[in-house]
Amino acid sequence: MPDRYAEILSFVKIAESGSLSEAARRLDLSLAATSRRLSQLEARLGVMLVRRNSRHMTLTQEGQIFYEKAGQALSDIDQAENVVMRNATEPAGPLRVVTTLHSGRSRLAPLFQHYATLHPEVAVHLEAAGQVANIVETGHDIAICFDPPPDSGLIMKRLADNPRMLCASPDYLNRRGMPRTVNDLAGHDRIVIGGGQDMWRMIDIDTSRASRVLSTNDGELARLWALNGAGIVIKSLWDVSDDLDEGRLQPVLPAVPLPASPIVALYLPSQSESAKVRSCLDFLARHLKATEATPAAA
């Protein structure tokens, strides 16, 4: 099968230069090879594109129409290649991000605003979702979440660690007393997030002695229960940092070791070479790690 692109490119160069020999020079081909490509193209299309004699050549009506269309097509191809090559090396184009982080959105929003200022060629679109999105189906470039689902088939980049801590409202602690040791936790009301005993299973206490257990799969609901004095909850620092600063919640036994909640970004393997994705993830990791906080002392 003939190389259609080579034939069309040769014809466009002939039409632009008005000469077979000049077109051959621009293409770095022999005159015979350039003439052969033109003949093959005319034979395939079944029309004469160029009238030529020993001294002159002009485009036929069909040749003029084909030149206008083919010339524009080649220009579009060149532009497409330039855009793709630029996007591989310079951040540019739309960047769609989805996050499941609730309280963390107040931290992410200014970071994305800063990133967009640094990279004006990138059009940032940030969405909030209740659960990790299937970014293959939704068309998002990046998903940012806590504790990613296993076997998602996506590449994961750890951006920062979000410390977890025990906390409760001043009202609850005034009524029930501030625990002084881990054993003291056994007699306190617990707020559990998720199935089983949530992060409470990481603490070696006799859970059968608890006065009351409230459980939910909604982290924000658990926070509201804690604010209303329902008991002690284990929350990530991002979720309760404002409450701690304003005195609505107080740390409980801050020395108790709890595993941090990783903040991760998920993206498709095909996006590994995207300059906008790479630059955004590097930016987020750099700034989130720089602002990693530690639980406040009691």
Side-chain angles (χ1 to χ4, degrees):
M1 183 176 178
D3 187 340
R4 295 177 62 186
Y5 180 82
E7 291 177 357
I8 294 170
L9 177 62
S10 296
F11 168 72
V12 170
K13 293 299 181 184
I14 292 169
E16 289 176 346
S17 62
S19 164
L20 281 171
S21 58
E22 177 60 20
R25 187 188 67 79
R26 295 183 184 182
L27 292 166
D28 195 22
L29 292 173
S30 68
L31 180 60
T34 305
S35 179
R36 183 167 58 252
R37 285 184 178 181
L38 175 59
S39 298
Q40 289 171 343
L41 177 61
E42 290 179 324
R44 183 164 58 82
L45 296 178
V47 296
M48 179 181 292
L49 300 175
V50 178
R51 296 189 188 91
R52 48 199 182 274
N53 55 38
S54 59
R55 299 183 60 184
H56 302 287
M57 59 152 284
T58 58
L59 298 181
T60 64
Q61 181 179 2
E62 291 79 7
Q64 184 63 39
I65 294 173
F66 191 74
Y67 167 65
E68 292 173 359
K69 299 293 186 182
Q72 183 60 53
L74 291 180
S75 177
D76 291 343
I77 291 173
D78 288 341
Q79 183 179 7
E81 289 181 345
N82 290 335
V83 169
V84 170
M85 289 188 293
R86 186 188 67 179
N87 286 352
T89 57
E90 302 175 13
L95 179 67
R96 298 191 64 207
V97 184
V98 61
T99 180
T100 60
L101 310 189
H102 182 80
S103 298
R105 292 168 197 164
S106 61
R107 294 174 181 250
L108 291 176
L111 288 181
F112 276 104
Q113 181 180 354
H114 186 194
Y115 175 81
T117 301
L118 295 176
H119 301 282
E121 297 299 317
V122 178
V124 176
H125 178 71
L126 179 62
E127 293 184 19
Q131 59 185 3
V132 177
N134 184 340
I135 62 176
V136 177
E137 296 179 357
T138 61
H140 290 95
D141 299 295
I142 303 170
I144 300 175
C145 56
F146 294 130
D147 299 317
D151 303 322
S152 66
L154 303 173
I155 296 178
M156 183 186 77
K157 180 179 178 68
R158 196 181 189 112
L159 300 176
D161 284 329
N162 187 7
R164 289 186 175 101
M165 62 184 303
L166 291 151
C167 56
S169 71
D171 175 65
Y172 173 84
L173 295 173
N174 288 335
R175 286 188 288 108
R176 301 294 302 276
M178 173 68 78
R180 299 301 174 185
T181 68
V182 170
N183 289 334
D184 291 342
L185 292 172
H188 278 271
D189 298 336
R190 303 191 313 276
I191 299 172
V192 175
I193 306 171
Q197 291 299 307
D198 179 54
M199 294 301 299
W200 284 95
R201 66 183 182 276
M202 306 296 297
I203 304 174
D204 186 18
I205 59 174
D206 181 6
T207 58
S208 65
R209 291 175 51 201
S211 299
R212 181 177 62 179
V213 174
L214 285 173
S215 64
T216 177
N217 65 344
D218 188 327
E220 180 59 13
L221 178 55
R223 170 180 165 272
L224 293 176
W225 276 342
L227 290 171
N228 289 332
I232 300 174
V233 69
I234 298 175
K235 289 292 289 178
S236 66
L237 186 58
W238 270 28
D239 284 345
V240 296
S241 60
D242 289 343
D243 298 320
L244 295 171
D245 291 341
E246 299 296 328
R248 294 185 293 268
L249 293 175
Q250 292 180 225
V252 174
L253 296 176
V256 172
L258 292 169
S261 176
I263 302 167
V264 302
L266 305 175
Y267 59 99
L268 292 167
S270 59
Q271 292 283 32
S272 298
E273 302 303 319
S274 169
K276 64 185 178 183
V277 170
R278 290 199 314 269
S279 68
C280 182
L281 294 179
D282 291 344
F283 173 87
L284 291 175
R286 186 166 62 251
H287 284 77
L288 288 176
K289 288 178 181 176
T291 59
E292 277 182 345
T294 56

